[in-house]
Amino acid sequence: MDLLIEKGDSRTYLSQLKVLVTKFEEGAPAITRNSTQIQGRNGNVDFGGWHTSKEIEVEGFYRADDLDEETILRERLYALLSDTDGFYITEMRGELTPDFERPGENEGNLYEQLTTRPSHKRFFVYAKSIEPELQGNIGGAVLYKLTMTFTTLKLPYGESVPRDLKIEKPVAIYSENLVTGTSDELKSFTGTVWGTAPANPASGTYGTGKYHASVYIENPSDIPINLYVRVNGKTGNFNGVRIEPGTNGKIEYDFDVLEGQSIQSAWVGFSVSTTETYTYKYKDVMITREPSLWSPSPSDPGYNNWYLDTYYNTDNLVIPYAGTVPCSQLEQGFIVEFTAKQSGGNLVLTLNGTEFRYNGQIYSDDVLTLTGYEYTKNSMSIVKNTNKAYFKLLPGVTNKASSSLAGEIRILNFQNLYA
């Protein structure tokens, strides 16, 4: 085992000071209660309790060639651990390698055989006591046992390393649809004589190269249905494997646009001259550079709403909190940052049922920063226009966040807390 000491950007392992850690024991958080006794009433009236601190006991051994070296090691240990500003300690778990050996089978420095990995939590502490104890002279070197007791300075919990967390739903990768006027809902079309559904012109002139065409068709008629693409400068239309009468399916194929050519239009229909009337259904007409799920063309009127709903939908976003005790903004200090992607008024931001309300106007790209006691919009205070709510992350439940406007939610200084 080993112990990692972190002070700002400085990282020191006790093994660097020739200390071999043999014990790391953390106690439960100490509890303080607020209760009082009322005259004439049996027992106490309890007003609740809270955690105050946690103690961690660490033991190890260090060896020095002589008393002079031991004095130097002890001074360095005291300078490292007796710090009034506090520091983080992390248990480095592991075993000596190899696990089993015969006497004399391996040689070398014991510390070089340490294989360790950090624990999932660390503690912000000060050293309550540091007690070296002479064990004797072993092999011409002095051996000391080192017993240390650490007490938490701020939170009485173990903490994961803080990080900024963007919470969002998984989103597929979409290719730009070059065809306008399409939908992901089935449309019925009834036609005669070359029966073509209304043409969907390409939303612009695109360069040469390979393209992908696709559509979904339901064909209850008596005639095959296909997807056609017309390219200027090319004789004939592109088409795929047709959907036969009485069947459903997806048509998709690749086609090339050569130098001097351009995409003109795409449509669903049949290529047989007839005076009869046929009805069929289709959806998801697309021309893209790469195969993709359906999306509207950026030129379509509903594209902005689709884009916001796809990429900035904040309904029931899950926060992956894995701690074992509640994490409150007022204690731990995490920050909820909301970046608006649409305009509106009276924003409501909800986390685990707690509602934060802002009764002012929001514009796209406005940034609200909520700490639980300070509330800003674009770095300007908005406290008087809010309900001054603060948030908690809870253990053992699915922590969910939502907002009444489309946007992006980030948790800054996110940590898991462990009892």
Side-chain angles (χ1 to χ4, degrees), residues 176-179 202 204-214 229 231 238 252-258 261-263 286-291:
E176 180 182 349
N177 191 358
L178 309 182
V179 182
T205 300
Y206 295 85
T208 60
K210 188 175 291 295
Y211 291 84
H212 187 80
S214 61
V229 177
V231 173
F238 290 107
E252 54 182 335
Y253 55 89
D254 295 327
F255 65 95
D256 294 312
V257 176
L258 305 179
Q261 298 177 347
S262 62
I263 301 171
M286 293 191 73
I287 296 177
T288 58
R289 285 287 191 177
E290 301 288 341

Side-chain angles (χ1 to χ4, degrees), residues 31-316:
I31 297 175
T32 296
R33 303 207 67 84
N34 181 16
S35 61
T36 189
Q37 191 174 50
I38 298 176
Q39 187 174 357
R41 182 189 185 281
N42 293 323
N44 295 322
V45 177
D46 185 66
F47 295 100
W50 57 93
H51 292 141
T52 55
S53 62
K54 176 193 281 279
E55 288 195 348
I56 299 98
E57 184 176 344
V58 179
E59 291 182 358
F61 293 87
Y62 68 92
R63 185 176 59 186
D65 292 336
D66 52 43
L67 291 178
D68 289 337
E69 184 186 18
E70 191 278 329
T71 300
I72 295 173
L73 285 175
R74 184 181 299 207
E75 290 171 348
R76 293 177 63 188
L77 284 168
Y78 287 170
L80 176 67
L81 301 176
S82 186
D83 189 330
T84 57
D85 292 332
F87 46 86
Y88 278 102
I89 62 171
T90 304
E91 178 188 8
M92 302 297 295
R93 299 173 177 173
E95 298 177 350
L96 294 176
T97 57
D99 295 330
F100 303 97
E101 65 177 56
R102 296 182 180 87
E105 187 174 35
N106 286 277
E107 298 179 357
N109 193 321
L110 180 63
Y111 304 103
E112 294 174 355
Q113 300 180 40
L114 285 173
T115 301
T116 59
R117 62 187 186 280
S119 170
H120 62 285
K121 58 186 175 182
R122 60 183 189 166
F123 303 88
F124 189 69
V125 299
Y126 70 95
K128 182 178 179 180
S129 65
I130 308 169
E131 300 176 1
E133 181 182 352
L134 178 64
Q135 300 296 295
N137 188 321
I138 300 176
V142 288
L143 180 67
Y144 276 78
K145 181 180 179 181
L146 183 64
T147 302
M148 300 161 284
T149 301
F150 300 100
T151 303
T152 53
L153 257 176
K154 296 179 180 178
L155 295 175
Y157 310 119
E159 310 170 24
S160 65
V161 177
R163 61 191 174 103
D164 293 342
L165 175 68
K166 180 180 178 182
I167 53 174
E168 56 187 347
K169 294 178 179 177
V171 178
I173 298 176
Y174 293 88
S175 295
E176 180 182 349
N177 191 358
L178 309 182
V179 182
T180 61
T182 71
S183 171
D184 59 347
E185 297 181 1
L186 281 171
K187 293 182 178 180
S188 293
F189 178 76
T190 301
T192 62
V193 187
W194 308 105
T196 59
N200 300 287
S203 59
T205 300
Y206 295 85
T208 60
K210 188 175 291 295
Y211 291 84
H212 187 80
S214 61
V215 68
Y216 175 79
I217 295 173
E218 293 186 0
N219 184 16
S221 71
D222 297 328
I223 198 166
I225 307 299
N226 214 323
L227 169 66
Y228 299 91
V229 177
R230 180 171 297 158
V231 173
N232 285 339
K234 176 187 178 297
T235 302
N237 302 315
F238 290 107
N239 58 83
V241 178
R242 63 193 188 181
I243 303 300
E244 298 296 335
T247 63
N248 308 325
K250 185 176 182 179
I251 298 173
E252 54 182 335
Y253 55 89
D254 295 327
F255 65 95
D256 294 312
V257 176
L258 305 179
E259 191 70 33
Q261 298 177 347
S262 62
I263 301 171
Q264 181 180 0
S265 59
W267 69 95
V268 179
F270 51 89
S271 59
V272 177
S273 179
T274 177
T275 58
E276 296 184 45
T277 300
Y278 296 103
T279 300
Y280 51 89
K281 297 180 179 180
Y282 69 99
K283 67 174 183 176
D284 299 349
V285 182
M286 293 191 73
I287 296 177
T288 58
R289 285 287 191 177
E290 301 288 341
S292 170
L293 297 175
W294 178 86
S295 65
S297 166
S299 300
D300 285 338
Y303 179 81
N304 287 341
N305 288 336
W306 172 88
Y307 186 87
L308 289 176
D309 188 59
T310 300
Y311 291 98
Y312 296 108
N313 186 327
T314 60
D315 292 337
N316 295 319

